[in-house]
Amino acid sequence: MKLRIQEAIVVEGRYDKNTLSQLVDTLILETAGFGIFKNQEQLALLRRAAQTRGLIVLTDSDGAGFVIRNRIKSAIPPRYLKHAYIPDVYGKERRKAKPGREGKLGVEGMPPAVLEEVLRKAQATILDENAPKPFSGPPITKADLCTAGFSGGTDSVQKRKDLLKRLELPEHLSANGLLAVLNHCYGPEEGRKLLG
C-alpha cells in the first residue's frame, strides 16, 4: 500500500520519480537536474505546489544534489519546505555502467524502507495516519552548535562530519543544514542529546 502524502515531493530526475512513485501517492515533480537553474516555468510550478500543499525536497546526497537543493531553498520561502536527506551509501544504480562522480547511490538507488524513513524524519504529512505531533521546546540555535563544538571551532568540521556519519546524513550537509535537520527531523529535545 502506498503512503498518501499531502506535500508534493521534488526530485532530480525521472528515475528518482519512478522509484519514489512506487512508494508514495502524491505529486512528484522533477528539477531535470541542473535544468532548474534555467527553467523559470518549472521553478514557478515548484513555488505553486509549495504554497498550496507544501514541498518536500528529496535530492541526492552528492554535491550536485546539494547545489540543486540550495537553488530551491533560495527560491521558495522556508515555511513551505521540508527537507528529506538520503544517507551516503556507496555503490551504483543498476541501470548505470559505473558509479557517479562521488560513488554514492542517489534517490533511485535507495530501498523503499530507507525512502519511507527519510520522508517520515522530514515530517511528511502522511494522510490516513495520525499526523505527527509537532516538536516542543525551544529550537536548537547556531549558538548551541557553537557551544557544543559543531560550528566555529578548530575541530568543528570533523566533529560535524562524525555526527553526520553517525546519523547517516549526507557528508555535504552544512552547519545550517544540520541545524535544520536536528530541529525538524529529531526535534529540539532529541537534537540536544545528539549534540551532547
Side-chain angles (χ1 to χ4, degrees):
M1 177 131 178
K2 290 184 180 185
L3 294 173
R4 290 183 56 235
I5 295 178
Q6 174 180 309
E7 296 87 359
I9 302 174
V10 60
V11 294
E12 291 179 42
R14 69 174 185 235
Y15 294 104
D16 300 328
K17 182 177 181 176
N18 290 343
T19 298
L20 199 56
S21 66
Q22 296 171 36
L23 174 69
V24 299
D25 178 10
T26 192
L27 173 64
I28 303 171
L29 302 167
E30 302 170 39
T31 66
F34 288 121
I36 196 69
F37 287 89
K38 294 180 258 177
N39 190 337
Q40 293 305 310
E41 292 172 347
Q42 183 67 9
L43 200 53
L45 174 60
L46 293 179
R47 280 193 194 101
R48 274 195 305 277
Q51 290 169 353
T52 57
R53 57 190 296 167
L55 185 67
I56 298 172
V57 182
L58 179 60
T59 57
D60 295 350
S61 62
D62 59 6
F66 273 81
V67 169
I68 294 165
R69 180 182 297 274
N70 288 333
R71 172 66 179 127
I72 295 167
K73 280 170 62 174
S74 70
I76 298 174
R79 69 182 176 273
Y80 299 123
L81 296 177
K82 293 180 179 179
H83 293 275
Y85 297 94
I86 62 171
D88 285 332
V89 176
Y90 291 88
K92 73 169 192 68
E93 281 83 10
R94 277 186 242 159
R95 70 176 179 85
K96 295 182 178 176
K98 60 181 185 173
R101 175 184 275 164
E102 294 182 33
K104 298 176 186 177
L105 290 176
V107 170
E108 73 173 278
M110 290 291 124
V114 171
L115 291 173
E116 180 177 345
E117 180 184 352
V118 300
L119 289 170
R120 287 183 184 276
K121 279 185 177 177
Q123 296 200 344
T125 306
I126 300 173
L127 306 173
D128 303 328
E129 286 188 9
N130 294 332
K133 294 180 176 57
F135 296 119
S136 61
I140 299 168
T141 65
K142 227 18 208 276
D144 295 326
L145 284 184
C146 287
T147 301
F150 288 92
S151 179
T154 53
D155 296 331
S156 60
V157 171
Q158 186 58 50
K159 193 170 180 180
R160 195 167 57 249
K161 280 185 179 182
D162 293 343
L163 178 63
L164 293 173
K165 187 170 187 163
R166 189 165 42 109
L167 297 178
E168 296 183 331
L169 292 168
E171 65 182 336
H172 292 287
L173 200 61
S174 66
N176 287 335
L178 174 61
L179 188 63
V181 167
L182 291 174
N183 279 317
H184 300 289
C185 295
Y186 291 92
E189 186 177 329
E190 188 178 348
R192 283 188 172 81
K193 289 177 187 172
L194 292 169
L195 292 176

